[in-house]
């Protein structure tokens, strides 16, 4: 999955605490991929999918994350158990 640089920039602003906990850009990419994978598709527009993870909405087009915005009116929660299971599947332990 590709992630546009502009999405990483927006993630650094909208998800500052999570962004600052990362040691590298690879960690940031991993977190964004995790959000997209575990989030819920809430809107389809042609070949674009809007995927929500907590308040964040990621727009994915042709297997590339092209945009990120927040919707404070809607909330999709993902359990800690599901997030931990994803980390184990990916062979990553996030502290």
């Amino acid at each position: 999955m590709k992630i546009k640089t502009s999405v990483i920039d927006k993630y650094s602003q909208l998800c500052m605490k999570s962004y600052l906990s990362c040691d590298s850009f690879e960690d940031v990419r991993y977190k964004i991929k995790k959000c997209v994978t575990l989030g819920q598709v809430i809107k389809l527009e042609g070949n674009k999918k809007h995927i929500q993870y907590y308040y964040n909405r990621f727009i994915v087009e042709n297997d590339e994350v092209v945009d990120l915005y927040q919707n404070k009116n809607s909330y999709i929660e993902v359990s800690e158990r599901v997030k931990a299971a994803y980390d184990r599947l990916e062979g990553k332990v996030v502290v």
Side-chain angles (χ1 to χ4, degrees):
M1 174 181 301
K2 295 179 184 177
I3 301 168
K4 282 194 167 188
T5 307
S6 61
V7 173
I8 294 172
D9 292 341
K10 286 184 181 181
Y11 188 84
S12 72
Q13 297 167 13
L14 298 174
C15 310
M16 190 178 296
K17 184 177 177 183
S18 176
Y19 180 83
L20 292 175
S21 72
C22 295
D23 293 328
S24 67
F25 281 115
E26 197 55 43
D27 287 347
V28 176
R29 286 186 189 92
Y30 176 80
K31 285 189 175 189
I32 292 171
K33 181 182 172 202
K34 182 175 170 178
C35 294
V36 170
T37 302
L38 298 180
Q40 182 178 345
V41 176
I42 49 102
K43 186 177 183 183
L44 292 171
E45 293 179 325
N47 59 349
K48 289 184 182 179
K49 290 187 268 186
H50 293 243
I51 299 172
Q52 185 150 346
Y53 182 88
Y54 291 87
Y55 290 114
N56 299 316
R57 286 195 179 177
F58 297 86
I59 300 176
V60 178
E61 183 176 17
N62 300 323
D63 203 37
E64 180 178 20
V65 184
V66 296
D67 202 2
L68 165 64
Y69 64 99
Q70 287 189 332
N71 180 359
K72 296 289 185 173
N73 296 322
S74 181
Y75 182 81
I76 304 289
E77 186 171 356
V78 178
S79 74
E80 291 299 319
R81 185 177 54 84
V82 170
K83 292 187 276 187
Y86 178 84
D87 290 337
R88 283 192 304 275
L89 281 174
E90 292 293 317
K92 180 126 176 146
V93 177
V94 178
V95 180

